[in-house]
Amino acid sequence: MLLNLSNPDNKWMRHALRLAELAAAQGEIPVGAVIIQADNCIAEGWNQPITQKDPTAHAEIVALRKAAQYLNNYRLVDTTLYVTLEPCVMCAGAIIQARVKRVVFGSYDNKAGAAGSRFDILRDTRHNHHIECVSGVLAEECGECLTRFFENRRNSS
């Protein structure tokens, strides 16, 4: 498969995939997230609910918290969030509250996704903040990362 690394969406999703692998190595569901502003990574996160004993420690939330600290502001204007898996309802709400400009995700989450598969919270025009949402960036690789994780988990039990 040819990959256009000059495409910033591919570049940053690759970064998010590396973070997803960190989550998997910690026994967490492999989801990684990166927040970019002006083509600079200002925050990153990966799933940590088990290790942090925190049900809200999804990759997106971890990255949003770090970005807010970095910017010294809870509003993350002119940022793009890259995440390997479609955000859930909780994460979609936090993304809207943070005023993220753009969300780019890899694989759809047909069970709990909130950006077009199960729900469409991010694209709902009833919010006072509208987010540009791009899906399917490196979807195959993002999906394979999750599939591998769950296959390994099943095979080890």
Side-chain angles (χ1 to χ4, degrees):
M1 169 194 234
L2 277 166
L3 178 65
N4 181 0
L5 287 177
S6 66
N7 176 339
D9 287 350
N10 289 344
K11 171 187 168 184
W12 293 114
M13 189 60 74
R14 284 248 173 258
H15 187 98
L17 272 164
R18 287 190 293 274
L19 297 170
E21 294 295 343
L22 285 175
Q26 295 175 352
E28 300 277 4
I29 294 173
V31 178
V34 180
I35 299 181
I36 307 304
Q37 187 179 59
D39 202 37
N40 294 309
C41 177
I42 63 167
E44 54 187 36
W46 56 89
N47 268 4
Q48 300 175 49
I50 298 166
T51 54
Q52 296 296 320
K53 297 171 185 59
D54 178 358
T56 69
H58 289 195
E60 301 95 310
I61 301 294
V62 172
L64 288 169
R65 287 177 178 152
K66 288 179 181 179
Q69 292 299 308
Y70 176 83
L71 295 173
N72 198 31
N73 194 335
Y74 72 107
R75 299 284 194 221
L76 307 180
V77 296
D78 295 324
T79 59
T80 298
L81 169 69
Y82 291 88
V83 61
T84 56
L85 182 65
E86 178 183 8
C88 70
V89 171
M90 173 185 70
C91 293
I95 290 164
I96 291 165
Q97 292 302 315
R99 302 301 193 259
V100 170
K101 181 177 183 177
R102 186 169 179 256
V103 171
V104 179
F105 68 90
S107 296
Y108 276 102
D109 181 352
N110 293 321
K111 292 183 181 179
S117 63
R118 188 75 167 161
F119 307 99
D120 205 355
I121 292 170
L122 287 182
R123 293 184 185 107
D124 192 320
T125 58
R126 293 173 289 183
H127 300 294
N128 62 344
H129 175 68
H130 300 125
I131 297 170
E132 179 187 345
C133 195
V134 177
S135 60
V137 173
L138 302 183
E140 190 172 321
E141 287 109 309
C142 292
E144 286 172 2
C145 181
L146 287 158
T147 300
R148 239 185 352 265
F149 174 80
F150 287 111
E151 283 176 354
N152 290 341
R153 188 190 261 186
R154 278 190 298 274
N155 292 337
S156 67
S157 47

